[in-house]
Amino acid sequence: WSSDVCSSDLNTTTNNPINQATDGNLSGLTFSNACINTGDVSWSLPGAYNSVTNTILVFAKSGSAITLGTPSSNVSTYTANTTFGSGTAYQNDASAFCIYKGDGSSVSITNLSAGTNYYFLALNVVDPNSYSSNTNATGTTLTTPANVTAQTAASGNGQITVSWTNP
C-alpha cells in the first residue's frame, strides 16, 4: 500500500471575527490533497497584503476545534514547523501548533495521523501584533486501508494463478 494516494476534496471554510487588522482578512482557507499522514493547506492573501508589514500565521490542531480567544502575542514569538506538533503552540490553545509563518499562500504538512480530523486557523498579522479576523478550515486525513487476506498462488502449465480476499 502506498501512502501517496490522496484526496483533494476534504475541506470546509468559515470566517469568524477576532480582532480586525486594517490590512484585510485571508480567504479560501482549505485543507486538500489529504493523504494518510500528509496534507496541504492553502489560502488567498488579502488584496492589501504587504510583505513588509504583514505576516501570515497558520495553526493546526487534531481532534477538536482550535480555541480562538483574542490573540495578542507578538508575531515574533511563533516558530512554524511543517511537521505537525513541532511548531510553537497558539497562545490560546496549547494543542494547536504553528505550521506556517510567512508571506506565501500554501503549506504542505507532515506527521498527521490516519483517519483524523484536523482543524486549521489562519491569521493575517500586521506587525507586530494586530491580528485580522480568523479564517478556519477543517479536514480529515485518509484512513489506512485494511490488508488483503487469504493470498494464494498456484503454478502449473507455464501459468501462475494468484488469488486473495479483499478487505
Side-chain angles (χ1 to χ4, degrees), residues 1 4-5 14 23 27 39 65 68 82 84 86 90 94 98 102 106 119 131 133 141-142 149 166:
W1 165 255
D4 294 72
V5 177
T14 59
D23 286 353
S27 61
L68 300 177
T82 59
F84 177 73
S86 298
Y90 177 52
C98 188
S106 66
Y119 297 80
Y131 288 77
S133 294
T141 51
L142 299 179
T149 57
N166 286 331

Side-chain angles (χ1 to χ4, degrees), residues 17-25 55-57 59 68-78 90-92 121-134:
I18 287 184
N19 176 15
Q20 184 68 39
T22 59
D23 286 353
N25 300 323
T55 302
I56 302 301
L57 291 176
F59 298 89
L68 300 177
T70 302
S72 59
S73 292
N74 188 302
V75 70
S76 67
T77 64
Y78 291 107
Y90 177 52
Q91 78 178 82
N92 295 316
L121 167 65
L123 300 158
N124 174 20
V125 186
V126 180
D127 288 332
N129 59 359
S130 178
Y131 288 77
S132 70
S133 294
N134 69 76

Side-chain angles (χ1 to χ4, degrees), residues 1-156:
W1 165 255
S2 168
S3 63
D4 294 72
V5 177
C6 304
S7 175
S8 63
D9 61 352
L10 301 172
N11 61 70
T12 305
T13 306
T14 59
N15 290 311
N16 299 300
I18 287 184
N19 176 15
Q20 184 68 39
T22 59
D23 286 353
N25 300 323
L26 299 169
S27 61
L29 183 68
T30 58
F31 179 61
S32 61
N33 299 320
C35 298
I36 292 173
N37 57 11
T38 63
D40 298 332
V41 181
S42 61
W43 55 89
S44 296
L45 296 173
Y49 188 83
N50 179 340
S51 63
V52 174
T53 58
N54 296 51
T55 302
I56 302 301
L57 291 176
V58 181
F59 298 89
K61 179 181 178 181
S62 65
S64 63
I66 296 172
T67 302
L68 300 177
T70 302
S72 59
S73 292
N74 188 302
V75 70
S76 67
T77 64
Y78 291 107
T79 301
N81 193 315
T82 59
T83 302
F84 177 73
S86 298
T88 305
Y90 177 52
Q91 78 178 82
N92 295 316
D93 192 330
S95 298
F97 301 98
C98 188
I99 58 168
Y100 183 84
K101 176 182 176 182
D103 298 312
S105 59
S106 66
V107 62
S108 295
I109 54 177
T110 62
N111 200 39
L112 303 178
S113 297
T116 301
N117 291 328
Y118 286 89
Y119 297 80
F120 302 94
L121 167 65
L123 300 158
N124 174 20
V125 186
V126 180
D127 288 332
N129 59 359
S130 178
Y131 288 77
S132 70
S133 294
N134 69 76
T135 301
N136 301 333
T138 61
T140 304
T141 51
L142 299 179
T143 58
T144 305
N147 292 325
V148 296
T149 57
Q151 305 92 334
T152 61
S155 63

Side-chain angles (χ1 to χ4, degrees), residues 151-164:
Q151 305 92 334
T152 61
S155 63
N157 247 359
Q159 297 180 352
I160 298 176
T161 302
V162 179
S163 65
W164 61 89

